[in-house]
Amino acid sequence: MNEDEAKARLQQLRDALARREEKPVPRVQAYSGVDSDDAARKEASALASGDLEAEAAKKEHSRTERFRDHVAIAILIVFWAGFLSLSVLAVLWFINFIIPPEKAILTSSQSERIISFLTGGGLTSFVANYAKKRLT
């Protein structure tokens, strides 16, 4: 691009800027203060009367109780999943026990592992203690 072309291009840009319409910038209202804000007035009156702390304590208690309820539900789901799994194992072992040995679905080592798991003292104690705690 030579010098004359550059000057012509610069003049085109200047003409385009001169033709451009300028849009006015909208004015923003200045903040008029707390007196016009109802929410701030309500919060200030609640803080002054002590209701804000009581409301915060109630909400914290509600969150804590909701969390405890969720934990109790999760524990209950785990308990019933374990109970269902143990029941399936017991039924599987019992079926394997009553059918003839040539039609057995479990090997003898698998059967021994299931029975030792089902009759294990720790597992039985855990289930019994949990059931006792929840039922009484």
Side-chain angles (χ1 to χ4, degrees):
M1 182 183 278
N2 63 26
E3 189 175 325
D4 292 333
E5 290 174 348
K7 286 181 182 178
R9 179 68 181 144
L10 182 60
Q11 187 58 41
Q12 286 176 349
L13 289 172
R14 285 182 182 156
D15 291 342
L17 280 174
R19 286 190 309 264
R20 193 177 114 209
E21 293 179 28
E22 292 194 22
K23 297 178 184 175
V25 177
R27 298 272 181 205
V28 178
Q29 293 273 339
Y31 180 66
S32 62
V34 176
D35 292 336
S36 66
D37 192 2
D38 290 335
R41 259 188 273 139
K42 288 179 184 176
E43 184 178 0
S45 66
L47 185 60
S49 67
D51 291 341
L52 205 57
E53 289 86 10
E55 185 179 339
K58 284 180 186 176
K59 287 184 178 181
E60 179 63 29
H61 176 71
S62 176
R63 282 190 295 269
T64 302
E65 288 302 313
R66 194 171 342 121
F67 176 74
R68 286 181 180 171
D69 290 343
H70 289 177
V71 169
I73 289 170
I75 289 172
L76 198 58
I77 289 170
V78 168
F79 174 78
W80 284 110
F83 179 78
L84 183 64
S85 299
L86 292 176
S87 298
V88 168
L89 281 176
V91 168
L92 182 66
W93 177 82
F94 183 72
I95 289 172
N96 192 64
F97 182 73
I98 60 172
I99 61 175
E102 58 272 359
K103 293 185 179 182
I105 51 178
L106 299 173
T107 64
S108 62
S109 66
Q110 289 173 332
S111 180
E112 288 173 8
R113 287 184 71 189
I114 288 175
I115 198 65
S116 67
F117 182 74
L118 290 175
T119 59
L123 181 65
T124 305
S125 173
F126 170 74
V127 171
N129 286 339
Y130 182 79
K132 181 180 177 185
K133 177 182 174 185
R134 290 296 172 187
L135 293 175
T136 58

